Amino acid sequence: MLKIDNLHVRVGEAEILKGLSLSVPTGEVHAVMGPNGAGKSTLSYTLAGRSGYEVTDGTAQLLGDDLLALNASERAAKGVFLSFQYPLEIPGVPALTFVRAALNAQRKARGEGEISAPEFLKKAKAEAANLKMDFEMLRRGLNVGFSGGEKKRMEIFQMAMLAPRLAILDETDSGLDIDALKIVSEGVNALRAADRSMLVITHYQRLLDHIRPDRVHVLAAGRIVASGGPELALELERDGYDKYGKAA
Amino acid sequence: MAADVETLATVEALAGEKYAHGFVTDIEQEFSEKGLNPDVIRFISAKKAEPDWLLAWRLEAYARWLALDEPDWAKISYPPIDYQALYYYAAPKEKVGPKSLDEVDPDLLETYKKLGIPLKEQEILAGVEGASRYAVDAVFDSVSVVTTFKAELAKAGVIFCPLSEAVREHPDLVRAYLGTVVPTSDNYFACLNSAVFSEGSFVYVPPGVRCPMELSTYFRINASSTGQFERTLIIADKGAYVSYLEGCTAPMRDENQLHAAVVELVALEDAEIKYSTVQNWYPGDAEGRGGIYNFVTKRADCRGDRSKVSWTQVETGSAITWKYPSCILRGADSVGEFYSIAITNNRQQADTGTKMIHLGPGSRSRIIAKGISAGRSTSTYRGLVSVHPKAKGARNFTQCDSLLIGKDCAAHTVPYVEARNGSAKLEHEATTTRLSEDQLFYAMQRGLSQEEAVQLLVNGFVKDVLQELPMEFAVEAQKLVAVSLEGSVG
């Protein structure tokens, strides 16, 4: 699904990613863990195509397509979804309007027809119920006045509606209390599928108690410095990132 | 929800189309002599076959205008206007005054067809949207070309015709109300208008009548070097209701053209007037060449108790906009509302807002102003809320929001508040936000193109005002917002 090779990324004057390589096979969930400042958010923004993240070397491919040659909306249409660490507020635009416009824009880019209003509403109602969201929230301005937990739930709702091939979850657990964490994780787990891959980016191990990854990677000083099974996360929880900080 | 999505589709369809109404109609026209003097005023008056009192009224206004100075307090700048280099009257030849549709010059009909203005009643009636039919008065430079649905309106007792016709057919009504809301010497541009006004619409809705359809006037400036000075007078008698819409376009020309209109509304006891404007005068090109100078005085007199006037404006055009639709809340418990979207792009300048003058006890007003600035444009909200000593219990709520797109534009908010009655309750809220990179990226990450993302964010910002417009015009206005901001990011 996702293949990143020797990725170097510069933000302003500083080089943040320094030769990062990572592969996520189709259908697998991989976690990327690392200390603050390791380049976790840079990785997710670079994959999503945010301007200001300058790739100076290396490649990133999604199912063989060169991701780096596409702009943000083209990547979305290819199936890249980023669950934001800090979801944005869009005043005056109801979540339903926003998601429907996004879904239709993606479908158009893929040469598909628009989703009909009844079909869209039916799907929205079902997904909102799965996430235990009040449907009325979807009629209000997107994320305006929402709590941290509600915003994260809204991200997973969007992910469910847009059905991406590659979902990148950037610090999805930050700002969540234990109940919200459970609901969000269940929502994510429900979206695991044989044709979908996920990249779960997190500082803490606790999210991985709920979303069990197939593989865990350690990101330190701009590179993947260790990879292993789920047990690696527990080891990090116990020992901290110190030894990787020195290794890098 | 549907409207937003529809807008996105429309933006796509309109891509590349910057100003769709910029064509010129090649038609033989008759002009007054260039410049302004008493003879030109006599010429205009004679063309309209006006009574002596109106000519005298015009000449008096002209004499006062000569003594006035052009106002310079607005936050706009432009080279001095040479008032002697303009034509003050231009009309398609032969036809003076409205005729039946069969007699209208085919070139003119073609013009309105291109502009999407329905003038053929039978076609409108045959249309699928039976509910959305509305009567149109089409004004081309200085004359009205045609007014539709007059017969049907007359059945309800509603008078809807060009002002020049009203002067001839209903002189007592015109004389009783003309200049009573905006006096001839009110301000420099209103004074000029009083001297040379050529055309505009007249509406009278008799007591207790709810006007059976939307009324609209469509103004078109066509001729070169010509000012347009229309004057509109709307009277809603006791308990009457009318909804009126004004639309405006002009060809793309390198020169600046002057538009100085006056609109007077009078609402008697329990009457309500809803006045909507979609102003799409040519804004000039990206470098600020050409475009309309729009100096307009619009004022409503809520004369009767419990009367109500609601102004809604979508201002996307003009190189310069200087306009403050206002309400004099004279009647007890009268209500004034002002909903505005002002969009400036490239080098446009807008100084616009409202005045709510509370004279009557219990009078209430509400102001929602949304300014969007892009490119190197400047947008200023200038408003006055004034509560007079007798306006016991007056209330006002004002909300001014500015949205900046890009880093070379500017937005200003200048609210004046005067309260001379201690029982008044006045609220003011203002925000200025920049359309953020973060929001744009967020929307694009979900699959929206940059243009679609801007549209969606802007539509969200102006939603409160758009929903005040009559349905079919709201859709129109939304498209206009899309086109006006094309290429504003990136």
Side-chain angles (χ1 to χ4, degrees):
Chain A
M1 176 70 72
L2 176 68
K3 194 167 185 338
I4 305 171
D5 190 38
N6 189 34
L7 192 64
H8 289 256
V9 175
R10 190 179 274 285
V11 181
E13 288 303 301
E15 184 170 57
I16 309 292
L17 297 186
K18 303 167 181 170
L20 183 144
S21 298
L22 177 67
S23 280
V24 183
T26 301
E28 290 193 6
V29 174
H30 286 206
V32 172
M33 299 183 69
N36 290 330
K40 298 195 298 294
S41 285
T42 299
L43 174 61
S44 58
Y45 283 146
T46 303
L47 290 176
R50 182 167 197 160
S51 58
Y53 291 75
E54 187 198 350
V55 177
T56 53
D57 200 5
T59 58
Q61 293 181 325
L62 183 78
L63 293 168
D65 288 330
D66 178 8
L67 264 191
L68 304 178
L70 306 175
N71 69 30
S73 48
E74 289 164 341
R75 292 184 202 195
K78 286 273 180 205
V80 176
F81 178 90
L82 171 60
S83 170
F84 282 61
Q85 181 176 4
Y86 304 108
L88 277 294
E89 298 185 1
I90 314 278
V93 181
L96 283 176
T97 305
F98 181 80
V99 177
R100 189 170 167 209
L103 182 56
N104 281 330
Q106 287 196 19
R107 289 171 74 122
K108 199 172 81 186
R110 294 194 291 256
E112 300 163 13
E114 292 202 347
I115 188 167
S116 76
E119 195 188 339
F120 176 80
L121 272 181
K122 200 175 145 198
K123 192 166 160 52
K125 279 189 175 145
E127 297 298 351
N130 284 344
L131 289 161
K132 300 183 173 61
M133 289 167 77
D134 177 2
F135 194 72
E136 284 312 302
M137 268 176 65
L138 297 170
R139 300 188 191 276
R140 302 212 307 261
L142 179 62
N143 290 331
V144 178
F146 288 14
S147 70
E150 287 169 334
K151 285 181 182 175
K152 291 296 168 73
R153 241 186 278 187
M154 187 61 84
E155 292 293 285
I156 305 307
F157 170 77
Q158 292 182 48
M159 175 175 153
M161 294 300 293
L162 297 172
R165 284 173 161 155
L166 172 69
I168 304 162
L169 307 179
D170 189 1
E171 306 278 5
T172 289
D173 53 330
S174 71
L176 293 188
D177 61 34
I178 190 68
D179 293 330
L181 180 64
K182 248 179 122 173
I183 294 168
V184 166
S185 304
E186 279 167 15
V188 172
N189 286 330
L191 291 169
R192 291 176 87 138
D195 59 353
R196 175 174 297 141
S197 304
M198 295 190 192
L199 198 56
V200 181
I201 294 174
T202 182
H203 185 98
Y204 299 106
Q205 190 271 339
R206 69 164 189 166
L207 177 65
L208 305 181
D209 288 341
H210 301 274
I211 304 172
R212 296 286 293 172
D214 297 300
R215 299 278 292 167
V216 174
H217 308 275
V218 181
L219 173 60
R223 289 159 66 181
I224 300 295
V225 293
S227 298
E231 70 285 351
L232 181 54
L234 296 169
E235 191 185 301
L236 285 170
E237 181 75 2
R238 198 179 58 233
D239 302 341
Y241 291 107
D242 282 359
K243 76 174 184 189
Y244 299 108
K246 279 169 208 142
Chain B
M1 166 161 96
D4 285 349
V5 174
E6 193 173 321
T7 299
L8 294 176
T10 313
V11 180
E12 196 59 35
L14 291 170
E17 176 189 12
K18 287 278 183 241
Y19 185 74
H21 311 297
F23 63 90
V24 178
T25 305
D26 189 11
I27 192 166
E28 209 182 332
Q29 288 195 287
E30 183 180 23
F31 292 91
S32 60
E33 76 174 86
K34 213 172 207 178
L36 186 54
N37 59 52
D39 284 344
V40 168
I41 293 168
R42 284 189 191 96
F43 172 87
I44 295 170
S45 188
K47 274 281 159 199
K48 308 268 178 197
E50 285 175 357
D52 292 343
W53 67 264
L54 193 49
L55 176 60
W57 196 80
R58 288 174 179 275
L59 290 170
E60 191 193 324
Y62 174 68
R64 290 186 179 201
W65 179 71
L66 290 175
L68 290 174
D69 289 324
E70 208 170 313
D72 59 0
W73 43 260
K75 198 159 177 60
I76 49 179
S77 62
Y78 54 96
I81 298 169
D82 181 354
Y83 291 91
Q84 295 306 333
L86 296 177
Y87 291 105
Y88 287 83
Y89 181 88
K93 259 199 173 152
E94 292 165 47
K95 319 282 188 217
V96 175
K99 309 262 171 165
S100 86
L101 205 59
D102 300 339
E103 295 171 56
V104 175
D105 190 315
D107 284 346
L108 285 177
L109 288 183
E110 187 55 31
T111 299
Y112 285 95
K113 207 172 155 190
K114 264 164 115 176
L115 293 168
I117 310 299
L119 293 184
K120 295 194 174 176
E121 291 180 21
Q122 61 274 37
E123 284 180 10
I124 304 164
L125 289 170
V128 275
E129 299 166 87
S132 72
R133 79 214 160 93
Y134 54 100
V136 178
D137 182 16
V139 176
F140 192 83
D141 289 331
S142 305
V143 295
S144 170
V145 178
V146 69
T147 309
T148 63
F149 287 108
K150 275 168 82 172
E152 190 171 334
L153 289 167
K155 264 188 244 164
V158 175
I159 303 170
F160 178 43
C161 66
L163 185 57
S164 55
E165 185 184 318
V167 169
R168 292 191 300 270
E169 308 287 329
H170 312 281
D172 296 344
L173 272 176
V174 174
R175 209 171 171 173
Y177 289 101
L178 187 73
T180 62
V181 185
V182 180
T184 48
S185 58
D186 187 79
N187 69 67
Y188 187 80
F189 295 105
C191 194
L192 176 63
N193 175 286
S194 301
V196 301
F197 75 89
S198 37
E199 200 53 282
S201 298
F202 176 81
V203 177
Y204 173 77
V205 187
V209 171
R210 191 178 170 90
C211 186
M213 63 181 85
E214 303 269 348
L215 305 183
S216 71
T217 301
Y218 192 85
F219 295 101
R220 174 74 175 169
I221 297 180
N222 188 63
S224 170
S225 303
T226 302
Q228 189 168 36
F229 306 94
E230 84 267 6
R231 190 163 185 119
T232 295
L233 176 58
I234 299 176
I235 302 137
D237 214 320
K238 291 177 184 175
Y241 169 85
V242 62
S243 169
Y244 177 93
L245 184 118
E246 168 205 304
C248 348
T249 60
M252 293 158 82
R253 294 188 188 278
D254 288 342
E255 59 180 20
N256 294 107
Q257 288 182 281
L258 178 64
H259 173 252
V262 169
V263 174
E264 298 180 275
L265 311 184
V266 179
L268 301 183
E269 259 172 58
D270 297 300
E272 180 177 350
I273 302 174
K274 190 171 166 64
Y275 191 106
S276 314
T277 305
V278 175
Q279 189 264 105
N280 186 21
W281 294 119
Y282 178 54
D285 67 14
E287 270 68 55
R289 276 188 301 265
I292 302 290
Y293 288 170
N294 194 31
F295 294 96
V296 171
T297 304
K298 291 183 168 176
R299 194 173 302 152
D301 190 349
C302 293
R303 213 167 273 187
D305 294 347
R306 297 167 304 279
S307 58
K308 177 177 176 183
V309 168
S310 179
W311 297 101
T312 305
Q313 60 169 19
V314 178
E315 303 284 308
T316 64
S318 296
I320 288 177
T321 299
W322 178 97
K323 183 176 150 185
Y324 316 90
S326 304
C327 294
I328 300 169
L329 301 166
R330 201 185 298 277
D333 301 313
S334 57
V335 177
E337 294 176 336
F338 175 76
Y339 300 98
S340 171
I341 298 170
I343 298 180
T344 53
N345 197 356
N346 298 318
R347 292 184 182 260
Q348 283 176 272
Q349 307 172 58
D351 193 300
T352 184
T354 184
K355 287 186 272 186
M356 293 291 174
I357 314 292
H358 291 258
L359 302 177
S363 52
R364 306 191 300 280
S365 61
R366 182 178 169 84
I367 299 169
I368 309 282
K370 305 267 180 177
I372 301 171
S373 323
R376 299 174 172 203
S377 67
T378 309
S379 178
T380 302
Y381 168 81
R382 188 181 303 276
L384 168 68
V385 176
S386 172
V387 179
H388 287 243
K390 286 181 183 162
K392 188 164 174 264
R395 280 185 312 193
N396 164 266
F397 174 77
T398 299
Q399 187 182 335
C400 302
D401 298 323
S402 306
L403 182 68
L404 305 173
I405 302 178
K407 50 186 189 305
D408 298 321
C409 57
H412 309 273
T413 303
V414 190
Y416 299 90
V417 178
E418 304 167 357
R420 286 189 278 151
N421 184 305
S423 66
K425 273 190 192 158
L426 311 175
E427 292 173 70
H428 182 94
E429 291 177 9
T431 64
T432 301
T433 46
R434 193 178 291 280
L435 192 71
S436 77
E437 285 286 318
D438 291 347
Q439 284 177 321
L440 278 180
F441 172 64
Y442 187 67
M444 288 177 69
Q445 202 298 307
R446 298 303 188 241
L448 296 166
S449 70
Q450 183 167 280
E451 209 89 305
E452 289 168 333
V454 172
Q455 274 321 303
L456 198 69
L457 296 172
V458 168
N459 277 341
F461 178 73
V462 300
K463 199 173 131 199
D464 300 351
V465 175
L466 276 187
Q467 65 196 18
E468 293 298 325
L469 284 171
M471 184 60 186
E472 52 272 52
F473 299 118
V475 174
E476 195 60 33
Q478 228 172 8
K479 291 177 194 168
L480 202 53
V481 169
V483 175
S484 305
L485 289 171
E486 226 165 69
S488 58
V489 178

